[in-house]
Amino acid sequence: MLVLTRKPGQSIMIGDGVEVQVLSVAGEKVRLGITAPRDVSIFRNEVYDRIESENQNSTGGDDDDGGANQAVANALHRLSQR
């Protein structure tokens, strides 16, 4: 794991297209802004874990990708319905 220290307003780049910027720090809460191409899915870890778990339950978990592709597609569909 790479550990970096950043101040509000500073950012890091992941690859060529993903920028993560520290927007603010208040106590133990850190607000991050993420700029990424539209084809890059971004989820909070607990949301991603839930999507993955739900998808494995519905498909039996036999897919090579652990059902992640379908889980992401389902989550994106639900988000687009809002």
Side-chain angles (χ1 to χ4, degrees):
M1 173 187 295
L2 173 65
V3 178
L4 301 171
T5 302
R6 301 278 75 202
K7 295 177 182 177
Q10 295 179 330
S11 62
I12 63 167
M13 293 297 298
I14 301 173
D16 291 329
V18 179
E19 178 182 13
V20 180
Q21 182 177 13
V22 178
L23 300 177
S24 65
V25 179
E28 293 187 12
K29 292 188 178 186
V30 177
R31 290 185 64 219
L32 301 174
I34 302 169
T35 304
R38 288 194 171 268
D39 64 331
V40 174
S41 299
I42 302 170
F43 297 101
R44 293 187 331 256
N45 193 46
E46 63 273 16
V47 172
Y48 182 81
D49 289 345
R50 182 174 169 202
I51 292 168
E52 196 172 67
S53 174
E54 287 177 4
N55 193 60
Q56 284 180 348
N57 290 339
S58 67
T59 65
D62 293 333
D63 294 340
D64 289 341
D65 66 357
N69 288 336
Q70 187 60 45
V72 169
N74 291 342
L76 291 173
H77 177 73
R78 287 192 304 265
L79 288 171
S80 69
Q81 301 301 312
R82 292 183 179 182

